[in-house]
Amino acid sequence: MIRRQVGIRDVAAAAGVSVTTVSHVLNETPHTRTSDDTKERVKQAAEQLGYKANRLARGLRINASGMVGLITEEIAITPYAGRIIQGAQEEAAKRGFTLAILNSELNPDPEIDPKLSQALVDRQTDGLIYATVYHDEVVVPAQMHAAPAVLIGARDRDGDVPSVMPDERAGAAAVIDMLVEAGHTRIAFAASSIDVPATRGRLVGVREALADAGLLDEALIVEREAEAAGGYAAARALLDRPAEDRSTALFCYNDRMAMGVYRAAAELGLSIPGDLSVVGFDDQAPIPHSLYPELTTVALPHYEMGAWAVNTLSALIDGKDEYRLLGAHATLLPCPIVERGSVARLGV
Amino acid sequence: MIRRQVGIRDVAAAAGVSVTTVSHVLNETPHTRTSDDTKERVKQAAEQLGYKANRLARGLRINASGMVGLITEEIAITPYAGRIIQGAQEEAAKRGFTLAILNSELNPDPEIDPKLSQALVDRQTDGLIYATVYHDEVVVPAQMHAAPAVLIGARDRDGDVPSVMPDERAGAAAVIDMLVEAGHTRIAFAASSIDVPATRGRLVGVREALADAGLLDEALIVEREAEAAGGYAAARALLDRPAEDRSTALFCYNDRMAMGVYRAAAELGLSIPGDLSVVGFDDQAPIPHSLYPELTTVALPHYEMGAWAVNTLSALIDGKDEYRLLGAHATLLPCPIVERGSVARLGV
DNA sequence: CTGAAAGCGCTTACAG
DNA sequence: CTGAAAGCGCTTACAG
């Protein structure tokens, strides 16, 4: 900023001590003794003058910028990138870090482009987070091995960089459990046809939980495009039959598909949840609240992943290299079910 | 980052010149003559060693961090905050700035809390952007008057800080014009009941354009909650009558209301756009693509506002104080109609 | 055309 | 318990 900031020398002068002393008391430098009286005077002066250490000078001196960088692949298309950023930002603020953001294009292949990481290194960030979408495993550039780094949404193929992702499998299984618990025995699943980790994770969760309940029927699992139109098609394929043969619950790969299911149900004269319980996945605003009845769905831990990322990044920056061990397996964060009005409990 | 960076001295040594010369040629310092031969050697050496000036050192010296800060009110709840960030980020990258992000809570009153701005000042950002929602006019804290600053989504009451917002009025008027052009003469509008600038802007745009066309009928303007349920209610109130009395087009305050309208239309046996044309506002993913037929709506210039903000902030930072004159009136950015399948052209 | 040197605002051995 | 001084990596008058 333009205005001349008050510097450490101003504080020293005001308190009648040396800048050394000011630095010591304000930073609470360990192994340093200062009389309480001096401390008090320094703090008073700093407070009074509104002194804040210049981060550039401090950073240059201690070789740490206090900045953490977040690279997001196509911030715009992922509906919840905002929540990741928010989680990262709030955690960063809590720890005194400044969050810098860099946006990248969507990257179809698993090799992360080193350009953005390099840009962050060039900017002296103390560490970096790379948030990807659509990948299981990724090979990270040299910069991410050389510096404190963390991955969101994908595992490091080399097992070196710690990573987080949603526990899609458990989230999907929990929905099946809830449905079974509510008395449903004919449970259908509208799977997604695009090949991403979420597709696979949710599908195996569904299959496992259904099998565990002795309720797995492959005929009730159909695969369609993960959009409203796909959900509509799945519902027509699954539900256009007499009530005796019909599933009483339809779990959808995502909320968009669930939207299509609502439309199909309306056309077929099926009431939700009276005739059909439906559950989505993603908790993608504004869908769940905009449907009638409101959609029961599964939330993704975007905020939590962002916070987790700067949290473990912070540990890495502090030199806690044990945290590198986290790179071996992705850390899975729970996807909580958020119950709204689209699931019926079947009479006993 | 941990590793020792290559410094300007390494480049100087490699090129066999002084650091002064390296600095001059790499920064293309004006009023400085250097032989082409020397220039070449320096550039080669820098390139070869992968030298990038330490931003902290440079910033300390020239008193400019190269950082620009963006404060967003509740990044999470505004569906498009991501686009604002993206626009700001890409424009910042283009100009060599690093974008730092700070998230704030939603602030109901028009006085901007100085805390966040101060935090940015303390971090030595060269300028700051404050993105607000739900405000017409705002009173900015001292920090924003003292430093280069720009507002998104609200005007500065003091007329000092430049600001951008969407031209809601023109966007809404354009929809009416399009509908009139398509042959509609009974055009209804489902207005919003919450008191925000968008509500007012869109409503006056609608009224003006309708009046201009000689088609204004207050009975066709109803006000409801700006959610799917409100749109549903508006549609039931407006459309539950014989075809002769019915509007042929219903323009909604936002896409969420349009969702409710689709549901009401289905219940009333009205086909879209055959019996009823519907238009939304916001282009809020994933609604428009998830409806059948896909929804014609109006897009908000979020990306553009983000880009505009760092653009004019950059001018302010460069000392082009004429730009402060922009503070007198908000700059209005166009809201383009995005035509999809929900509007019918009426036969001649 | 080129370079020696001061200095940006801090932190941190080191000395007393 | 306190302070003088070096130095982080740059840029920029200034001298030659």
Side-chain angles (χ1 to χ4, degrees):
Chain A
M1 302 286 178
I2 304 297
R3 315 100 38 76
R4 160 148 170 38
Q5 292 264 138
V6 358
I8 195 173
R9 295 206 317 237
D10 302 307
V11 180
V17 298
S18 70
V19 298
T20 302
T21 299
V22 174
S23 178
H24 284 328
V25 352
L26 262 21
N27 293 319
E28 298 177 346
T29 314
H31 314 304
T32 294
R33 308 271 59 185
T34 311
S35 74
D36 289 348
D37 174 55
T38 305
K39 270 187 192 155
E40 201 43 49
R41 281 206 327 279
V42 169
K43 284 178 181 167
Q44 292 269 330
E47 162 77 19
Q48 221 226 89
L49 297 173
Y51 170 73
K52 290 284 167 45
N54 181 315
R55 303 250 181 162
L56 264 19
R58 174 165 223 273
L60 174 60
R61 187 52 236 259
I62 69 176
N63 195 29
S65 63
M67 281 177 40
V68 141
L70 171 61
I71 302 174
T72 328
E73 277 187 4
E74 264 317 342
I75 210 183
I77 76 156
T78 28
Y80 293 99
R83 290 287 290 169
I84 293 181
I85 295 176
Q86 189 184 200
Q89 199 281 309
E90 289 180 5
E91 191 65 27
K94 218 174 285 177
R95 301 176 168 281
F97 283 110
T98 301
L99 213 223
I101 296 244
L102 229 47
N103 187 38
S104 149
E105 305 193 329
L106 198 59
N107 177 200
D109 41 63
E111 319 256 339
I112 293 182
D113 184 345
K115 222 154 17 199
L116 285 290
S117 312
Q118 185 58 48
L120 246 20
V121 171
D122 291 345
R123 285 176 162 81
Q124 273 74 46
T125 57
D126 296 334
L128 68 89
I129 301 169
Y130 196 102
T132 182
V133 281
Y134 299 148
H135 288 300
D136 238 327
E137 243 181 36
V138 108
V139 3
V140 313
Q143 291 84 352
M144 290 182 68
H145 282 118
V150 153
L151 236 25
I152 294 179
R155 187 181 315 110
D156 170 24
R157 178 167 302 170
D158 301 327
D160 178 40
V161 177
S163 57
V164 234
M165 42 181 84
D167 195 344
E168 315 269 4
R169 196 180 57 64
V175 168
I176 298 298
D177 291 348
M178 170 195 70
L179 258 13
V180 169
E181 158 69 18
H184 295 271
T185 53
R186 281 168 300 169
I187 301 173
F189 181 59
S192 155
S193 58
I194 57 164
D195 185 36
V196 295
T199 295
R200 292 187 291 276
R202 294 176 195 180
L203 185 55
V204 338
V206 164
R207 284 219 173 93
E208 284 179 5
L210 245 17
D212 283 355
L215 260 24
L216 179 58
D217 176 355
E218 288 293 342
L220 264 32
I221 299 182
V222 306
E223 183 183 307
R224 291 291 188 285
E225 176 200 16
E227 299 298 333
Y232 175 83
R236 297 295 312 211
L238 249 12
L239 304 174
D240 200 355
R241 61 188 65 179
E244 317 78 79
D245 299 344
R246 213 161 47 211
S247 303
T248 56
L250 173 50
F251 178 24
C252 300
Y253 168 75
N254 68 12
D255 294 345
R256 299 198 295 279
M257 292 182 87
M259 269 188 79
V261 169
Y262 269 60
R263 185 162 73 85
E267 285 183 15
L268 294 167
L270 263 29
S271 110
I272 298 173
D275 301 313
L276 179 73
S277 291
V278 359
V279 180
F281 208 116
D282 285 354
D283 199 22
Q284 181 179 7
I287 298 178
H289 283 294
S290 296
L291 257 14
Y292 183 80
E294 294 191 7
L295 181 67
T296 290
T297 186
V298 181
L300 257 10
H302 291 279
Y303 182 95
E304 291 76 10
M305 293 193 298
W308 186 97
V310 337
N311 221 336
T312 104
L313 188 57
S314 170
L316 254 14
I317 291 170
D318 289 347
K320 302 185 183 155
D321 287 321
E322 328 80 89
Y323 277 71
R324 280 280 180 196
L325 299 177
L326 288 173
H329 305 285
T331 295
L332 265 22
L333 259 28
C335 302
I337 294 180
V338 0
E339 302 204 35
R340 285 192 269 248
S342 61
V343 171
R345 175 162 277 277
L346 260 35
V348 278
Chain B
M1 301 289 178
I2 303 296
R3 315 103 33 81
R4 158 147 171 42
Q5 292 265 138
V6 359
I8 194 171
R9 295 209 315 240
D10 301 308
V11 180
V17 298
S18 70
V19 298
T20 303
T21 300
V22 174
S23 178
H24 284 328
V25 351
L26 261 22
N27 293 318
E28 299 179 345
T29 314
H31 313 306
T32 295
R33 308 272 60 187
T34 310
S35 74
D36 289 348
D37 175 54
T38 306
K39 269 188 193 154
E40 201 44 48
R41 279 203 332 276
V42 170
K43 285 180 181 166
Q44 292 268 333
E47 163 78 19
Q48 221 227 86
L49 297 175
Y51 170 73
K52 290 284 168 45
N54 181 314
R55 303 250 180 159
L56 264 18
R58 174 165 222 273
L60 174 60
R61 185 55 236 257
I62 69 176
N63 195 28
S65 63
M67 281 177 40
V68 141
L70 170 60
I71 302 173
T72 327
E73 278 187 5
E74 265 315 343
I75 209 185
I77 76 156
T78 28
Y80 292 102
R83 292 286 291 169
I84 293 181
I85 295 176
Q86 188 182 203
Q89 199 281 309
E90 290 180 4
E91 191 66 27
K94 217 175 286 176
R95 300 174 170 281
F97 283 111
T98 301
L99 213 224
I101 296 245
L102 229 47
N103 187 39
S104 148
E105 305 193 328
L106 199 60
N107 176 200
D109 43 62
E111 318 256 339
I112 294 181
D113 182 346
K115 222 156 14 202
L116 286 290
S117 312
Q118 186 58 49
L120 248 18
V121 170
D122 291 344
R123 285 174 161 81
Q124 272 73 46
T125 58
D126 296 334
L128 68 91
I129 302 170
Y130 195 102
T132 182
V133 281
Y134 300 148
H135 288 300
D136 238 327
E137 243 181 38
V138 108
V139 2
V140 314
Q143 291 83 352
M144 290 183 66
H145 282 117
V150 153
L151 236 25
I152 294 180
R155 187 182 314 109
D156 169 26
R157 180 168 300 170
D158 301 327
D160 179 40
V161 177
S163 57
V164 234
M165 42 180 85
D167 194 345
E168 315 268 4
R169 198 180 58 63
V175 167
I176 299 297
D177 292 348
M178 171 196 70
L179 257 12
V180 169
E181 158 68 21
H184 294 272
T185 53
R186 280 168 301 169
I187 301 172
F189 181 59
S192 155
S193 57
I194 58 164
D195 185 37
V196 295
T199 295
R200 293 186 291 275
R202 295 175 195 180
L203 185 56
V204 336
V206 164
R207 284 218 173 94
E208 284 179 5
L210 245 17
D212 285 355
L215 259 24
L216 179 57
D217 177 354
E218 288 293 341
L220 265 31
I221 299 181
V222 306
E223 183 184 307
R224 291 290 188 285
E225 177 202 15
E227 299 297 335
Y232 176 84
R236 296 294 314 211
L238 250 11
L239 304 173
D240 200 355
R241 59 189 67 179
E244 318 77 81
D245 298 344
R246 213 162 45 213
S247 303
T248 56
L250 173 50
F251 178 24
C252 300
Y253 169 75
N254 68 13
D255 294 344
R256 298 197 295 279
M257 292 183 87
M259 269 188 80
V261 170
Y262 270 60
R263 185 161 74 86
E267 286 184 14
L268 294 168
L270 264 28
S271 107
I272 298 172
D275 301 313
L276 179 73
S277 291
V278 359
V279 180
F281 208 115
D282 286 353
D283 199 24
Q284 182 180 7
I287 299 178
H289 284 293
S290 296
L291 257 13
Y292 183 82
E294 294 191 6
L295 181 67
T296 291
T297 186
V298 181
L300 257 9
H302 291 277
Y303 181 95
E304 291 76 9
M305 293 194 297
W308 186 97
V310 337
N311 220 338
T312 103
L313 188 57
S314 170
L316 253 16
I317 291 170
D318 290 348
K320 300 183 183 158
D321 287 321
E322 327 81 87
Y323 278 70
R324 281 281 180 195
L325 300 176
L326 288 173
H329 304 286
T331 295
L332 264 22
L333 260 27
C335 301
I337 294 179
V338 1
E339 302 204 35
R340 284 192 271 248
S342 62
V343 171
R345 175 162 277 278
L346 260 36
V348 280

